[in-house]
């Protein structure tokens, strides 16, 4: 038996997680060094009044797990808690790390629970990476929304600008038409009128381009092949 316990202890120490065999009274009978950092008093947190406040676990609705609902206590009642629950553990320096706690009951020959095995896995790096990715996604979405808003503001501005520029064209074109039909127009007036007509056409093309840009930006252009 002694050799078996030594072999089991060596296996425990090789594991990258905290693992412990716990008695029905909640005392650690066998554990590795990784588990000792979480349970230095060798007592299950749910039964340790002095250290239970170091553990916080939450239900999906945000409610906090009660002491009797922690995996260790449930396993001592005969429940199998796998894959376990996620919980925050406060270290001696006050910092908190994310862990996952799982537990399975040990039963006697009659099937009654007489202890349990607890496993604590450090998932802090995973959780913080997950949180960072979630924050990055939110920031990207916010940036996308801001760009979309800016594009809409720009397209609205272009549309207003184009309409405002178009309004003066009507009287200008009317004046040019009057100049065209007057029989007493001099050569100078005719030349000036030609220059104005060419510039007005160019301005009209620019205004139409601005309106097209505004329509494209707002998705209001239908492609007809």
């Amino acid at each position: 038996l002694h050799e078996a316990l030594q072999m089991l202890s060596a296996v425990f120490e090789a594991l990258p997680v905290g693992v412990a065999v716990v008695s029905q009274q909640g005392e650690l009978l066998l554990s590795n060094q990784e588990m000792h950092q979480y349970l230095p008093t060798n007592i299950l947190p749910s039964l340790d009044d002095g250290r239970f406040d170091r553990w916080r676990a939450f239900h999906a609705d945000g409610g906090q797990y009660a002491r009797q609902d922690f995996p260790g206590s449930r396993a001592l009642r005969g429940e199998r808690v796998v894959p376990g629950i996620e919980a925050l553990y406060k270290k001696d320096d006050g910092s908190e790390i994310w862990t996952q706690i799982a537990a399975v009951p040990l039963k006697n020959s009659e099937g009654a629970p007489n202890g349990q095995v607890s496993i604590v896995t450090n998932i802090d790096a995973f959780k913080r990476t997950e949180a960072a990715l979630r924050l990055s996604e939110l920031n990207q979405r916010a940036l996308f929304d801001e760009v979309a808003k800016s594009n809409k503001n720009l397209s609205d501005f272009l549309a207003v600008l184009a309409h405002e520029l178009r309004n003066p064209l009507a009287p200008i074109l009317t004046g040019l038409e009057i100049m065209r039909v007057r029989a007493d127009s001099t050569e100078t007036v005719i030349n000036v009128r030609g220059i104005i007509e060419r510039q007005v056409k160019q301005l009209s093309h620019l205004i139409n381009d601005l309106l097209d840009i505004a329509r494209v930006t707002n998705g209001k252009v239908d492609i007809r092949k």
Side-chain angles (χ1 to χ4, degrees):
L1 179 61
H2 180 69
E3 291 180 356
L5 288 175
Q6 284 186 325
M7 290 180 60
L8 186 58
S9 178
V11 171
F12 279 11
E13 289 299 338
L15 295 174
V17 297
V19 58
V21 177
V22 184
S23 71
Q24 187 64 24
Q25 290 71 39
E27 298 176 350
L28 273 63
L29 302 177
L30 183 65
S31 64
N32 61 0
Q33 191 61 35
E34 182 74 12
M35 179 64 91
H36 185 70
Q37 69 170 317
Y38 301 117
L39 308 177
T41 57
N42 292 328
I43 303 174
L44 283 182
S46 53
L47 301 177
D48 189 349
D49 293 335
R51 293 184 65 85
F52 178 74
D53 59 354
R54 295 202 176 210
W55 295 89
R56 292 188 299 131
F58 303 92
H59 295 282
D61 60 3
Q64 194 163 337
Y65 274 89
R67 294 176 67 165
Q68 64 271 20
D69 293 330
F70 263 62
S73 293
R74 291 166 59 186
L76 290 178
R77 297 195 297 266
E79 296 183 50
R80 179 182 173 88
V81 189
V82 175
I85 65 172
E86 295 179 355
L88 277 169
Y89 172 68
K90 183 186 293 184
K91 300 195 297 185
D92 291 339
D93 61 6
S95 62
E96 290 185 318
I97 60 174
W98 279 102
T99 65
Q100 186 177 60
I101 309 172
V104 293
L106 296 175
K107 299 181 180 180
N108 59 24
S109 58
E110 298 176 354
N114 63 352
Q116 54 109 319
V117 176
S118 286
I119 298 175
V120 178
T121 305
N122 187 333
I123 60 171
D124 193 66
F126 169 76
K127 292 292 290 184
R128 297 195 185 280
T129 300
E130 182 183 51
L133 289 174
R134 189 179 300 114
L135 178 61
S136 176
E137 182 180 351
L138 291 175
N139 289 338
Q140 290 179 0
R141 188 177 298 123
L143 179 60
F144 176 81
D145 292 342
E146 188 65 27
V147 171
K149 180 180 179 181
S150 298
N151 286 339
K152 185 179 185 307
N153 291 338
L154 176 60
S155 63
D156 290 344
F157 168 75
L158 292 176
V160 171
L161 176 62
H163 284 295
E164 291 298 323
L165 290 174
R166 176 171 282 180
N167 289 335
L169 287 181
I172 294 175
L173 291 173
T174 301
L176 288 172
E177 189 62 27
I178 293 175
M179 293 174 65
R180 188 193 305 277
V181 299
R182 283 180 63 96
D184 57 348
S185 296
T186 64
E187 182 178 354
T188 300
V189 171
I190 294 174
N191 290 336
V192 171
R193 186 190 68 209
I195 294 173
I196 295 174
E197 286 178 342
R198 288 192 296 272
Q199 295 303 316
V200 167
K201 288 181 180 179
Q202 179 65 19
L203 180 59
S204 179
H205 286 313
L206 291 174
I207 292 173
N208 289 333
D209 288 343
L210 286 176
L211 288 173
D212 286 341
I213 292 173
R215 295 189 189 101
V216 170
T217 305
N218 286 327
K220 296 180 179 179
V221 172
D222 294 328
I223 303 296
R224 298 184 182 88
K225 295 183 181 181

